[in-house]
Amino acid sequence: MNRSGFLVRLLILLVCLLPVLQACPQSCHCHGGDLQHVICDNVGLRKIPKVSEQTKLLNLQRNNFPVLPANVFKEMKGLVSLHLQHSHIKEISSGAFRGLKQLVYLYLSNNEISVIKMGAFEDLTELTYLYMDHNKISDLPKGLLSPLVNLFILQLGNNKLRELRSGAFSGTKDLRWLYLSNNSLSSIQAGGLDDVENLAIFHLDKNQLSSYPVAAMSKLRVVEDLKLSHNPMKVIPDLAFQSFGRYMETLSLDNMGLEKFSDKAFTGVTTLKKIYIENNKLNQLPGTFPFSNLETLTLSNNPWHCSCQLLPLRKWLESSRSRPEAACASPSPARGQQIRDTAALRSCKLPTKRSRKGTRH
């Protein structure tokens, strides 16, 4: 056979093989040219299937992959979105996502992940959205998340985290939304948030924080939405929100057993629009409480002491369209009366600011 004849036959063979090489994995559904979307949802897979380098979206949720081994996605260089929810994953090996340099979305929610080996997130430099909620993750060792330099949203709610140590978020300087709800966090070390000073949404509700982590929180600069509900904190200390008070719009402190705000707790807070403080043990509010821009305030199920100290609250309630419930618990004659209606505050007057000595009139 001459050389040209051999090349023609080889070309024919390759053309015949191409459909096989680009075939949709068995039991899966594929859409778009070059298998751009491969859907293998709930088809009984126990092994990661092979797909085209041109595949952009791979949906593998509701299958059975107890361990994600190293290099298992290495040839899927074009992946942008990878779905692995509800797949009984327990362990992620070092290098499991190696090669996925274009991946933007990674969904690992609702698994049984308790082991994430160092180097697991190697190569995920474009990853922007990472969902790992509803797992059994108990620790974030320093360096684990370091490759994720473009991470914007991290969902870690409903895990078993007990502590945030210094360097936990090393490398993730662009992180903006961090969800840590419903873990077992009892401590955030002073350097635990040093690397995520640009957080805008920070949810820490349903944890075990018994004191406000002042040192760690002071590193944050632009938090707009802070959620601390359902933590057993009794006191919010002075200057708690000062470092991001010019940006904070929503603050959730309900269902905490909260007894007191320190006098300067709200120093620097200027833009707050929504505060949730129902179901606590509060009887007073500090003089620095930020009523000026407030639109929503929940107050019910607190033992309010209806003295003149609550007059600023009374004035706000009178002007509020939302008419939240807020009943007096004391003194006895006012018990059960709404703060906005009780006679206990009718004779009170707002204090007037004295003019400074030497001021010209």
Side-chain angles (χ1 to χ4, degrees):
M1 183 188 303
N2 61 30
R3 182 179 175 83
S4 60
F6 173 76
L7 289 174
V8 169
R9 290 196 175 193
L10 182 60
L11 184 61
I12 292 171
L13 180 62
L14 288 172
V15 169
C16 292
L17 281 173
L18 192 60
V20 176
L21 292 171
Q22 299 294 318
C24 188
Q26 190 174 0
S27 302
C28 301
H29 302 282
C30 298
H31 311 282
D34 295 322
L35 309 183
Q36 288 206 24
H37 291 183
V38 178
I39 313 299
C40 307
D41 187 337
N42 197 21
V43 295
L45 292 176
R46 293 180 176 272
K47 186 178 179 182
I48 304 294
K50 302 291 185 184
V51 300
S52 164
E53 277 192 21
Q54 281 71 46
T55 299
K56 301 294 185 188
L57 182 148
L58 178 58
N59 185 344
L60 298 172
Q61 61 182 315
R62 282 182 278 269
N63 286 289
N64 191 1
F65 311 118
V67 177
L68 292 182
N71 300 316
V72 69
F73 300 101
K74 191 174 183 180
E75 304 306 320
M76 307 179 194
K77 294 181 172 66
L79 272 190
V80 173
S81 184
L82 177 58
H83 298 248
L84 288 160
Q85 307 96 304
H86 298 278
S87 290
H88 305 286
I89 300 168
K90 296 179 180 179
E91 179 178 327
I92 303 177
S93 303
S94 180
F97 302 108
R98 190 175 290 136
L100 299 183
K101 295 183 179 181
Q102 296 184 42
L103 196 69
V104 175
Y105 304 89
L106 178 56
Y107 300 91
L108 293 163
S109 307
N110 298 97
N111 281 291
E112 301 158 36
I113 300 168
S114 61
V115 177
I116 306 177
K117 295 291 181 65
M118 195 63 70
F121 299 117
E122 179 186 334
D123 279 356
L124 297 184
T125 53
E126 292 301 315
L127 195 71
T128 309
Y129 307 94
L130 176 56
Y131 298 88
M132 295 195 293
D133 51 294
H134 294 87
N135 279 290
K136 298 179 179 179
I137 300 165
S138 60
D139 189 26
L140 292 176
K142 184 175 182 177
L144 180 68
L145 303 175
S146 292
L148 309 180
V149 293
N150 279 301
L151 196 63
F152 186 89
I153 295 177
L154 176 56
Q155 173 58 272
L156 278 167
N158 292 274
N159 275 283
K160 297 183 179 297
L161 293 170
R162 296 184 294 271
E163 181 182 33
L164 291 183
R165 298 199 299 266
S166 182
F169 300 104
S170 176
T172 61
K173 61 182 178 60
D174 286 338
L175 192 64
R176 296 280 286 162
W177 296 6
L178 177 56
Y179 300 94
L180 296 171
S181 307
N182 204 11
N183 275 274
S184 301
L185 287 169
S186 60
S187 171
I188 302 179
Q189 288 187 3
L193 302 173
D194 282 9
D195 300 288
V196 288
E197 65 176 22
N198 293 315
L199 285 183
I201 296 177
F202 191 20
H203 286 188
L204 278 166
D205 52 305
K206 297 179 182 176
N207 278 286
Q208 299 299 319
L209 295 168
S210 58
S211 61
Y212 185 84
V214 178
M217 297 295 286
S218 68
K219 304 296 184 180
L220 304 180
R221 296 285 174 263
V222 291
V223 176
E224 299 169 13
D225 178 358
L226 177 61
K227 196 167 189 177
L228 289 165
S229 314
H230 296 274
N231 277 283
M233 276 181 215
K234 292 185 177 181
V235 178
I236 300 297
D238 287 342
L239 313 180
F241 318 112
Q242 186 179 37
S243 64
F244 48 87
R246 293 180 299 129
Y247 297 90
M248 186 167 60
E249 296 186 357
T250 303
L251 177 61
S252 302
L253 299 170
D254 54 282
N255 297 280
M256 296 172 66
L258 193 60
E259 297 176 1
K260 180 184 177 183
F261 291 104
S262 293
D263 291 344
K264 298 179 181 178
F266 290 97
T267 296
V269 176
T270 58
T271 55
L272 207 48
K273 294 180 180 178
K274 300 176 182 178
I275 308 182
Y276 303 94
I277 54 173
E278 75 270 19
N279 299 317
N280 281 302
K281 297 179 181 179
L282 295 164
N283 57 39
Q284 297 290 338
L285 291 175
T288 56
F289 197 80
F291 288 107
S292 56
N293 293 302
L294 213 52
E295 299 171 0
T296 300
L297 174 60
T298 59
L299 299 155
S300 59
N301 295 317
N302 279 288
W304 299 110
H305 178 66
C306 289
S307 69
C308 291
Q309 201 270 352
L310 285 185
L311 186 58
L313 174 58
R314 163 78 162 257
K315 294 291 186 184
W316 183 86
L317 288 168
E318 288 173 345
S319 64
S320 172
R321 296 180 179 179
S322 59
R323 297 185 66 80
E325 294 292 311
C328 304
S330 61
S332 297
R335 185 176 298 144
Q337 297 175 4
Q338 290 294 309
I339 293 174
R340 75 171 72 86
D341 301 324
T342 182
L345 302 180
R346 282 181 189 162
S347 61
C348 298
K349 294 182 179 179
L350 285 172
T352 56
K353 293 182 179 179
R354 295 181 181 179
S355 58
R356 294 179 183 175
K357 290 183 180 179
T359 302
R360 295 181 180 178
H361 298 283

